[in-house]
Amino acid sequence: MRHSRSFPICLMVLLAALPLAAQFSGGIEGVVQDQSGGALPGATVGLKNLATGVAATTKSSDSGSYRFSSLAPGEYEVTASNAGFNNAQVHINVQTAQTANLNLTLQVTGANTSISVSAETPPIDTADSRLQTTMSTQQLQDLPVQGRNFLGLVAVAPGITGHGAVGGGAPGDAQDNFSTEKTVDASGNGRNQSGNEFSLDGLNITSNILQGTASLTPNPDSVQEMAIQTNVFNVEHGRGSSVQVAITTKSGTNGYHGTGAYFYSDQHLRARTEFTKKYEPFKKHDLSATFGGPIIKNHTFFFASVE
């Protein structure tokens, strides 16, 4: 029996080690301005993750600009305040590896009032030149994948060519998520699959031996989002000249949450083809579970998964 564990000692690390932070690549940036479009320097801009309650603040620059970086995907509340102006409050959803452009407009007033709006994702992201398709947890659960290896969905993104996770491209590469190295038949930017790059929570998991091969495939139930990117001109990803796949795993929040699943397959559940009339007998039992929650509310969290 083979086992694959995703972060099996996560809770032990959080309890025993110094505070650590994942290197996420999302961000929010923009300009704080008045109703005439003039920049407001020195305005206080606040950020709060609505799932975890973790908050941060910054001041707008002389040009009125502000920026929050290294953000995990999720829904955030952004507030802005300045003397002589109404407070502004905006809710915005940040995706994996996305830099959201959010300008904040403050209305002149002498009263202590606030304006609350919800920001919608613009059809064209003017803050970035990349082409990106982001698949959410729901899509990863609903779309059909072979052997529960969700990396095969990379090939269905716009601008990508290939057959997905077909197996056999590397030693030990099978059509499931228990492989030691996973080759994905997908390419973009006019390059072949050897230029593909894979990252997990900001950590590069591309094989150093076989170019364009992922050396880790997480439990799909532990994945929050998968961003499939092309046309990325960033020195941070200099090795990724073809398709860049950024995976973000779930994290603990202020509420406890978890999942449990059991998948079974045998030779009777495989469709016969014109050339394969019969399969050798086999049975496959796939158990999966996840669990996460708070250790210290609004501050420290844990999440673990096993398959």
Side-chain angles (χ1 to χ4, degrees), residues 178-250:
F178 291 96
S179 306
T180 54
E181 289 185 318
K182 174 56 61 181
T183 301
V184 181
D185 180 16
S187 59
N189 296 337
R191 288 277 286 121
N192 60 23
Q193 65 188 46
S194 65
N196 294 346
E197 182 180 277
F198 301 87
S199 64
L200 179 69
D201 292 337
L203 174 67
N204 193 323
I205 58 170
T206 311
S207 172
N208 289 321
I209 300 174
L210 297 176
Q211 294 183 345
T213 301
S215 56
L216 173 66
T217 308
N219 173 3
D221 295 334
S222 70
V223 175
Q224 179 176 347
E225 287 183 352
M226 177 175 67
I228 306 159
Q229 310 166 74
T230 58
N231 202 45
V232 181
F233 303 101
N234 192 326
V235 294
E236 180 184 359
H237 304 286
R239 293 178 57 190
S241 56
S242 183
V243 184
Q244 296 183 16
V245 181
I247 304 166
T248 301
T249 58
K250 298 175 182 178

Side-chain angles (χ1 to χ4, degrees), residues 85-88 109-115:
F85 293 85
N86 284 338
N87 297 337
T109 184
N112 186 21
T113 57
S114 63
I115 300 175

Side-chain angles (χ1 to χ4, degrees), residues 77-91:
E77 178 184 271
V78 182
T79 59
S81 62
N82 201 25
F85 293 85
N86 284 338
N87 297 337
Q89 183 184 87
V90 181
H91 287 186

